[in-house]
Amino acid sequence: MFSTKITHLRAIGSLLSLVFASGCVSYGFVENQSISEFQRGNSVYSVDAFNHRLSGKDTVIILSFSGGGTRAAALSYGVLSELRNTIVEQAGKKHSLLDDVGLISAVSGGSFTAAYYGLNGEKIFDQFETRFLKKDVETPLIKNILNPRYWFSRKSRTEYAIQYYDKEVFDGATYKDMLNADRPMILINATDLSKGVRFSFMQEYFNLLCSDLASFSVSRAVAASSAVPLLFNPVVVKNYDGCVNEAPAWLPSARKRAQKDPELALLVKGIESFLDKEDHKYAHFVDGGITDNLGLRSIFDISKLLGGAKALNKAFNIEASSRLIVISVDASASPDYDIGRSKRPPRVIDTINAMTDIQLHRYNTATLSDMQNATKKWVAELSDETKTVDAHFVRVSFDDVADEEVSKELNRIPTTFSLTNEQVDLLVETGKKLLRNNPVFTKAVQDMQN
């Protein structure tokens, strides 16, 4: 995420001192494969492949997992656990609400939880705490960066992180391994630093690159989503030329609508940049939180580009479900830097942290408002005389923690990939309780059973 902060001062000083030392000798490794015309027409990790998870059901649940290091990964894991434990009975049959999740969109720290669930399903509840949440992921990465033998290596800091994630977390999996009919579609989101474009790892976006997502490493996508600028090099992918029908069929219509919609105009401009194979030969992906730290906007970008919810459903042959539940899991914290308690100038690190937190919370507030309004528009578009679509927007965040001491403790948990077991346990339990006690979620569950 944009405000990701390595709170250990020794790490900050050491890492920043190496930025220029290693920047001149590190190269952007390119690991994405070009796509043939046949592969393009038979794309694997796409909305079409998960149509059944989003279409014609009584209830579809969409989750978004924010950035925030292991703090975000643990809070979102708690929400997944609570969904699994929430059993509803409809028409005499019982099922877990986890079965109703059709899509998870995630950035940065939240992308670790999303990707692990996409690969392993309910095995996540037996493995993830040991393999990631309660493991010190940060120290091995820092040791690699500080080791002089690596300072003049052609491999970047990010490449070592990818190797670590491959070995310790994702077992070398590719997107082909994540294609499973019994699990939701996982959207890992990053930012293309060269053009400022929000990018989702799905075949529909990879088609713009004339590239094959099925063979792409899950660890590489997650590393891109969590690659904090300066501390980590971008993940580089090649924008191949020569595939058939490069421009999406919906682009002319989107261009026309963008003339009266500044936000849509930015989306269209970003999409069009990938069609310029000369000036945009490579995409440099960094932290997805730069363009959306909640992971929410990417969910609605496709709808906006296609012309609305009805147009999206028609394009992907999706039948509207009776009930839509959008759950935003926001792990952003509001630590107290004690700046206002003294007339002394704040430390540089406190100034940077406070500035990024202010920007983050302001943008998050705008995103939440926009997405709530978008959800209402979806309902209006999809409801007709034959079906009424009901929608619930649920926000899980530290703002709703009633206990003041617990709230302070949660907001003091740093954005890092190394937390204590006690901090992880607190975050997981907080995720469960916040969802279980959320009044919008409670009403949605009651409506389902009625």
Side-chain angles (χ1 to χ4, degrees):
M1 54 181 279
F2 180 64
S3 67
T4 299
K5 304 174 285 287
I6 305 296
T7 55
H8 308 294
L9 293 182
R10 63 178 179 82
I12 292 177
S14 300
L15 288 170
L16 291 180
S17 69
L18 290 174
V19 167
F20 297 104
S22 62
C24 59
V25 295
S26 296
Y27 294 83
F29 276 56
V30 176
E31 294 289 342
N32 64 309
Q33 304 298 314
S34 63
I35 194 167
S36 68
E37 182 178 353
F38 173 78
Q39 289 172 311
R40 184 183 177 86
N42 294 273
S43 56
V44 179
Y45 207 84
S46 65
V47 177
D48 285 335
F50 292 89
N51 175 288
H52 63 288
R53 299 285 302 191
L54 300 165
S55 180
K57 303 178 69 175
D58 177 81
T59 300
V60 168
I61 298 176
I62 294 176
L63 303 175
S64 70
F65 294 163
S66 79
T70 301
R71 185 181 68 237
L75 188 70
S76 56
Y77 174 78
V79 168
L80 282 181
S81 300
E82 186 61 25
L83 286 172
R84 181 186 65 157
N85 296 336
T86 305
I87 308 299
V88 296
E89 182 173 351
Q90 295 175 297
K93 295 183 179 180
K94 294 182 179 181
H95 74 278
S96 164
L97 282 193
L98 192 59
D99 297 333
D100 291 328
V101 176
L103 177 70
I104 304 177
S105 176
V107 295
S108 199
S111 66
F112 285 87
T113 307
Y116 201 91
Y117 180 63
L119 283 168
N120 299 284
E122 294 206 19
K123 290 181 181 178
I124 189 174
F125 302 113
D126 301 321
Q127 304 169 351
F128 194 55
E129 289 192 34
T130 303
R131 297 201 65 181
F132 183 77
L133 294 179
K134 293 184 176 179
K135 178 181 285 188
D136 181 1
V137 173
E138 188 170 289
T139 298
L141 299 182
I142 292 175
K143 283 183 177 179
N144 266 340
I145 294 170
L146 298 182
N147 191 330
R149 65 181 286 203
Y150 297 133
W151 292 358
F152 301 98
S153 167
R154 291 185 72 251
K155 288 189 176 181
S156 69
R157 297 177 290 277
T158 300
E159 287 301 316
Y160 288 109
I162 292 169
Q163 289 180 1
Y164 180 86
Y165 301 154
D166 256 345
K167 179 182 177 182
E168 302 294 335
V169 186
F170 299 117
D171 299 317
T174 66
Y175 268 82
K176 184 177 181 180
D177 300 311
M178 199 151 62
L179 184 67
N180 190 300
D182 296 329
R183 294 171 202 151
M185 185 175 189
I186 307 297
L187 288 188
I188 305 300
N189 301 288
T191 302
D192 180 7
L193 191 61
S194 61
K195 300 294 181 180
V197 181
R198 185 163 50 250
F199 188 95
S200 299
F201 286 85
M202 57 193 293
Q203 188 58 53
E204 284 81 0
Y205 272 77
F206 259 57
N207 282 343
L208 298 169
L209 305 173
C210 296
S211 185
D212 171 43
L213 180 60
S215 58
F216 197 78
S217 161
V218 172
S219 292
R220 193 166 290 274
V222 171
S225 183
S226 56
V228 182
L230 295 183
L231 298 186
F232 289 96
N233 304 70
V235 170
V236 182
V237 301
K238 186 173 181 179
N239 187 6
Y240 290 98
D241 196 0
C243 58
V244 179
N245 298 325
E246 292 173 7
W250 44 261
L251 190 54
S253 173
R255 283 196 193 109
K256 186 174 181 180
R257 285 182 281 109
Q259 295 174 4
K260 298 180 180 180
D261 187 335
E263 184 178 357
L264 179 58
L266 283 175
L267 285 173
V268 170
K269 184 179 179 181
I271 293 297
E272 290 180 324
S273 73
F274 292 110
L275 304 180
D276 184 348
K277 305 296 182 176
E278 288 297 321
D279 291 337
H280 202 172
K281 290 182 179 180
Y282 297 93
H284 294 253
F285 292 133
V286 294
D287 198 329
I290 294 176
T291 47
D292 173 24
N293 191 58
L294 293 176
L296 271 173
R297 289 188 178 273
S298 60
I299 297 172
F300 295 89
D301 277 358
I302 300 174
S303 170
K304 198 171 184 68
L305 286 166
L306 290 175
K310 268 193 173 181
L312 183 149
N313 281 7
K314 182 179 180 180
F316 294 111
N317 195 29
I318 295 174
E319 179 188 347
S321 299
S322 301
R323 185 177 295 101
L324 174 66
I325 303 175
V326 179
I327 302 176
S328 169
V329 185
D330 179 6
S332 59
S334 300
D336 186 354
Y337 300 112
D338 299 330
I339 293 176
R341 297 179 183 177
S342 171
K343 66 179 182 180
R344 292 179 299 177
R347 297 180 304 166
V348 173
I349 187 63
D350 288 341
T351 300
I352 293 173
N353 289 345
M355 287 170 57
T356 53
D357 279 341
I358 290 169
Q359 293 172 333
L360 173 72
H361 288 292
R362 283 184 175 273
Y363 189 51
N364 281 358
T365 300
T367 296
L368 287 167
S369 176
D370 289 345
M371 295 310 102
Q372 286 172 321
N373 291 334
T375 303
K376 292 177 182 177
K377 288 181 181 178
W378 274 30
V379 170
E381 285 185 48
L382 297 175
S383 296
D384 55 31
E385 62 277 2
T386 63
K387 175 181 288 186
T388 300
V389 177
D390 192 16
H392 305 266
F393 190 94
V394 179
R395 185 187 178 212
V396 172
S397 77
F398 296 155
D399 292 345
D400 294 323
V401 176
D403 189 302
E404 186 175 345
E405 290 304 313
V406 174
S407 177
K408 287 181 179 179
E409 187 174 355
L410 288 165
N411 281 289
R412 283 195 294 263
I413 296 176
T415 304
T416 161
F417 286 113
S418 178
L419 299 182
T420 66
N421 290 354
E422 291 74 20
Q423 288 173 322
V424 170
D425 289 339
L426 175 61
L427 287 160
V428 172
E429 288 305 311
T430 298
K432 292 179 181 178
K433 289 179 181 178
L434 286 175
L435 183 61
R436 185 187 315 140
N437 298 328
N438 183 282
V440 179
F441 178 73
T442 301
K443 183 181 184 303
V445 174
Q446 290 174 346
D447 289 348
M448 291 175 68
Q449 304 205 97
N450 291 333

